[in-house]
Amino acid sequence: TTVPTVQPTAPPTEPPTGQPTRRPTEQPTTVPTVQPTTVPTIEPTAQDCLHTEWSDWGKCSEDCAGGRQTRTRSIEVHPTDDGLECEHTSEERSCNESPCPTPSPTDSPSPPPTNSPTTSPTLKADYTIDGSCISVVSNFETLLVSGEAEEDDLAIAWPLV
């Protein structure tokens, strides 16, 4: 019968090489090398640009009739000279493109026009006719005259108003 050993046996290893390896092994070695590599690797390792994730889209600049919104991201790792360059760090898009609603109509219609003259005059003129001062006020429906004027005087003033 075979008797088990008290301690595990070491796996077989190859003796270390005298020169650094040009390419790393596909699987890690079970034992470290005797000394570190003395010369840099022949081919430098390119570092591509790394971005953060995109932010959420920002608030739209308009509530309706078309606005703009943006989102951003940062550069997490800058590339080496031989790595892939960084791409854009902000984006913009259209938003809220629906037309704005028309204002709501008033609750009740405006009152109909009245047949009576308005209380505030729309035109006022002062005239001196034959040495008499008269004032003429008109809203183009009613003519109000103050001062000493004859009916013939009004015929002169009315076309001027």
Side-chain angles (χ1 to χ4, degrees), residues 29-84:
T29 58
T30 56
V31 182
T33 57
V34 176
Q35 58 186 3
T37 306
T38 56
V39 291
T41 56
I42 294 171
E43 297 176 23
T45 305
Q47 173 62 58
D48 295 339
C49 178
L50 293 178
H51 292 95
T52 60
E53 293 294 318
W54 284 106
S55 68
D56 291 335
W57 286 102
K59 186 176 191 280
C60 189
S61 62
E62 300 294 332
D63 292 332
C64 55
R68 305 294 295 163
Q69 65 184 156
T70 58
R71 69 179 183 168
T72 59
R73 64 181 175 177
S74 298
I75 297 173
E76 199 168 277
V77 176
H78 289 272
T80 57
D81 289 339
D82 55 344
L84 291 177

Side-chain angles (χ1 to χ4, degrees), residues 83-98:
L84 291 177
E85 298 216 6
C86 296
E87 296 179 11
H88 59 280
T89 56
S90 68
E91 290 183 335
E92 191 172 287
R93 71 177 181 184
S94 300
C95 57
N96 294 342
E97 294 177 330
S98 301

Side-chain angles (χ1 to χ4, degrees), residues 102-121:
T102 55
S104 300
T106 56
D107 292 336
S108 61
S110 32
T114 62
N115 290 333
S116 62
T118 59
T119 56
S120 60

